[in-house]
Amino acid sequence: MSEQKWRILARLYLLGVLGLLGATFLHYGLTWDEELHRLYGECILKWYGSFFKDASAVNFETLHFYGGFFDSVAAWASQILPLGVYESRHFVNTLFGFLAIVYSYRLGKHLAGEAGGFFSALFLTLTPVFYGHIFNNPKDIPFAALFTAALYYLIVFYDDLPRLTLKSVLKLGTVIGLMLGVRVGGIFIFGFAALLWAAWTLIRMGSGGKGWGDCIKSLVVSGAGILAVGWCVMLVFWPWAQTSPLQNPWRAFGTFSKFDWPLPVLYYGRYISAKQLPWDYFSAWFFISLPEFYFLALLAGCFLGLRFFGGRRQGLLFEGREVKVIFLAAVVLSPVLAVMILRPTIYDGLRQFLFLIPPLAVLAGVSFTQLIHASLSARFKIILSVLVFISALLTVWDMVRLHPYENVYFNRLVGGGMKRGANNFETDYWGNSYKEGAEWLMCNYPSLYPDARKIRVANSSRPFLTGYFLEKREADREHFQTVNPNEHPDIFMAVTRWNGHEAYPGRVLHTVERCGVPLLYIIRPEAKQSVVAAFPESGYNKS
């Protein structure tokens, strides 16, 4: 198929994805941290609206260690959009998710033409663990989108080294600054830039290029310009950093590098302290939650790479495209290896590392594109392409059945499918399913409580996860009251994390489930009682 036809197909696909996201973003519930992020965004707007007199954002909970780019934009959007406050935030969140897909397409296109861009965007969209977070993850999706954009410009500008134009410096610096304005941990992007530019320098030296001393000077100047622009852009959206522009960002980075999460994590059916998780916890989540077509495409890419380098008769003088693909692989592998070696405190599966999924999807998309164009046996290519196609179709089917909980997906090859995966690992750990539980209660409360009195509702996570939906309208506020679990609720809703549904014995009225796996229990206590926490030290039932 010609480049023009691939381009038309890719553009139509992106338009279709945008339409799908726009049609379904209201289906998704709230997640655990959204209330704090909403309040933080509002405090940032007050910081500027009061001309820096209202300093509530400077020491807001632990979020003052994060930049406020996304939260301030989402807070502003919630003031102007004709939607609810969280629905507006989800709309902005969705746009960032689409941005990640667009830049995956652009990066794949740069490396392997329009077909590479199409398959990169397709594979990312069909990654349930990423897709399910697009709509309501205010931390990791904006960061992943901006990280992907930064990678794209970093790789594209490789061709302009050693001295980038002012426009390129401003563009890359701004994107990196916005990324740091979400999470300062993204400072490692400069390490990746140094790696790529060092490779460029070594290749130039190896090819007999002269004047490499001047080239290094130009690289240093370009890098300093990008750092300066990025740092200034980051500060614009970060009140706490503005109070000490050089020291506070590094303090935040140090805080997160030593972050301690004292709660238990479900891993292969056992609850283990996050401090004592085995070395393979992080890598295992890649194997159980990525669709099988990733493994097929990436294995094909490794085979083609070995075949290419094994057949070279000349010295290893890499071309630009080869360097870029190897660099992209290093971007994905280095954090995985670092986590396995350094053993930091991690939890929530891949959530904190969703930024690795777009470059991994690009690698898979580029690999599959190269397979299609490779001079291999037609039978081999057909068989592998059919397997990838079947895996993609099965993934689509699973995502449809799981909607809107795509992020709880487990593949069949390693994860064992939904039922087996749910027995071994966390599913809806962030409370997305409370929305559906609240909607069920609003539809069925007349038959449950015919005396039309106010129904006291509690949940096993945070009150706003159900309270927002139950008390959103005036009519609903007449029938429901949100209370804490220790205030003798009439209805108790619990996700399965930390066996929260076992903490409040009673009659199970309804379960929210997908593919035969319960995600949320709606319980009516047989008698007035206070909750007995399954993990008292976790504080999972506190607001």
Side-chain angles (χ1 to χ4, degrees):
M1 197 157 67
S2 67
E3 278 288 287
Q4 183 178 4
K5 290 181 179 179
W6 278 115
R7 182 181 301 111
I8 294 173
L9 179 61
R11 302 293 171 80
L12 290 175
Y13 177 75
L14 290 175
L15 285 174
V17 169
L18 181 60
L20 177 65
L21 299 179
T24 60
F25 79 95
L26 292 176
H27 297 178
Y28 293 77
L30 307 182
T31 53
W32 187 288
D33 296 333
E34 283 196 83
E35 183 179 41
L36 288 179
H37 281 274
R38 173 184 66 81
L39 295 172
Y40 183 45
E42 292 173 357
C43 288
I44 293 174
L45 294 187
K46 293 176 182 177
W47 168 255
Y48 288 106
S50 66
F51 294 99
F52 315 109
K53 294 179 181 178
D54 187 328
S56 55
V58 173
N59 291 294
F60 184 82
E61 300 283 341
T62 59
L63 287 185
H64 69 276
F65 291 119
Y66 290 88
F69 171 56
F70 173 81
D71 288 322
S72 57
V73 171
W76 174 74
S78 66
Q79 295 179 357
I80 64 173
L81 292 178
L83 300 168
V85 59
Y86 288 109
E87 289 80 359
S88 298
R89 294 182 61 86
H90 289 183
F91 177 77
V92 177
N93 224 127
T94 303
L95 293 180
F96 274 93
F98 182 67
L99 186 69
I101 297 172
V102 169
Y103 271 100
S104 295
Y105 157 74
R106 297 186 70 182
L107 185 52
K109 174 187 172 183
H110 177 75
L111 295 174
E114 290 288 351
F118 169 76
F119 285 114
S120 297
L122 175 67
F123 288 172
L124 180 59
T125 310
L126 297 186
T127 309
V129 69
F130 187 87
Y131 185 91
H133 279 276
I134 282 177
F135 306 89
N136 53 14
N137 184 331
K139 290 180 178 177
D140 308 294
I141 289 299
F143 182 80
L146 294 166
F147 178 76
T148 307
L151 275 183
Y152 168 75
Y153 289 118
L154 190 60
I155 289 175
V156 168
F157 294 157
Y158 176 90
D159 298 329
D160 300 331
L161 295 176
R163 189 65 176 266
L164 299 184
T165 64
L166 178 60
K167 181 179 179 181
S168 297
V169 169
L170 291 174
K171 186 176 292 186
L172 182 54
T174 299
V175 172
I176 290 177
L178 295 176
M179 179 185 67
L180 298 178
V182 175
R183 182 182 293 165
V184 73
I187 195 74
F188 59 71
I189 192 72
F190 291 105
F192 288 139
L195 176 65
L196 183 61
W197 292 2
W200 180 90
T201 303
L202 291 174
I203 292 170
R204 180 178 176 86
M205 293 171 61
S207 62
K210 297 180 180 180
W212 55 271
D214 292 334
C215 290
I216 292 179
K217 284 184 181 179
S218 296
L219 290 174
V220 171
V221 171
S222 297
I226 293 169
L227 176 61
V229 172
W231 206 265
C232 291
V233 172
M234 172 193 70
L235 292 174
V236 171
F237 301 97
W238 195 354
W240 183 65
Q242 293 169 19
T243 62
S244 183
L246 295 179
Q247 292 184 349
N248 279 353
W250 290 110
R251 289 172 180 167
F253 184 79
T255 298
F256 289 122
S257 65
K258 301 175 183 177
F259 184 73
D260 184 17
W261 201 69
L263 310 183
V265 175
L266 182 63
Y267 185 63
Y268 280 107
R270 296 188 303 118
Y271 279 103
I272 305 174
S273 169
K275 305 175 185 177
Q276 300 173 343
L277 286 170
W279 65 271
D280 63 342
Y281 171 81
F282 182 44
S283 58
W285 269 96
F286 277 101
F287 285 104
I288 65 177
S289 59
L290 290 179
E292 290 83 355
F293 60 75
Y294 269 91
F295 309 128
L296 294 168
L298 292 172
L299 284 174
C302 291
F303 169 75
L304 292 173
L306 292 173
R307 179 172 176 261
F308 174 79
F309 289 113
R312 296 192 68 160
R313 298 179 181 178
Q314 300 176 350
L316 288 177
L317 295 179
F318 295 100
E319 301 294 336
R321 181 182 172 280
E322 299 162 12
V323 174
K324 294 172 183 178
V325 173
I326 294 173
F327 167 72
L328 199 60
V331 167
V332 174
L333 288 175
S334 53
V336 177
L337 294 176
V339 169
M340 294 171 68
I341 295 171
L342 300 177
R343 306 280 296 277
T345 301
I346 56 175
Y347 51 93
D348 290 354
L350 296 180
R351 181 181 66 79
Q352 297 162 306
F353 294 88
L354 289 178
F355 66 91
L356 297 179
I357 302 298
L360 188 61
V362 172
L363 284 173
V366 169
S367 297
F368 187 66
T369 302
Q370 293 303 111
L371 172 69
I372 294 174
H373 295 146
S375 57
L376 296 173
S377 164
R379 179 178 297 180
F380 174 76
K381 293 198 293 185
I382 290 173
I383 291 174
L384 199 56
S385 298
V386 169
L387 290 176
V388 169
F389 182 71
I390 291 173
S391 173
L393 284 181
L394 286 174
T395 304
V396 171
W397 171 241
D398 288 338
M399 292 175 72
V400 170
R401 293 193 300 157
L402 289 171
H403 181 76
Y405 315 116
E406 292 89 350
N407 64 303
V408 305
Y409 165 90
F410 297 98
N411 65 38
R412 294 171 175 79
L413 182 65
V414 183
M418 277 302 301
K419 289 188 177 180
R420 180 180 170 187
N423 289 329
N424 292 323
F425 306 96
E426 303 284 5
T427 54
D428 183 22
Y429 53 79
W430 242 12
N432 190 16
S433 56
Y434 281 118
K435 177 178 184 290
E436 186 173 341
E439 290 172 345
W440 181 89
L441 183 59
M442 286 188 286
C443 290
N444 291 275
Y445 78 88
S447 60
L448 297 173
Y449 296 94
D451 57 355
R453 62 184 176 85
K454 267 198 174 183
I455 303 169
R456 297 162 59 83
V457 182
N459 67 59
S460 63
S461 303
R462 292 189 171 185
F464 85 101
L465 291 170
T466 49
Y468 177 72
F469 301 105
L470 294 174
E471 301 176 7
K472 186 176 180 181
R473 300 178 303 177
E474 181 65 32
D476 294 324
R477 288 194 288 272
E478 296 178 1
H479 300 291
F480 300 101
Q481 179 183 356
T482 300
V483 298
N484 289 316
N486 58 1
E487 295 179 319
H488 308 294
D490 301 304
I491 295 292
F492 183 69
M493 297 189 193
V495 292
T496 57
R497 189 173 206 183
W498 301 315
N499 295 319
H501 58 294
E502 298 177 357
Y504 217 127
R507 177 188 170 193
V508 176
L509 300 176
H510 181 69
T511 59
V512 174
E513 61 180 48
R514 291 295 186 274
C515 302
V517 174
L519 304 176
L520 175 79
Y521 287 83
I522 301 179
I523 301 168
R524 179 162 64 181
E526 297 298 339
K528 295 288 186 180
Q529 55 185 316
S530 294
V531 67
V532 179
F535 293 95
E537 73 278 11
S538 72
Y540 76 96
N541 62 324
K542 298 179 181 179
S543 59

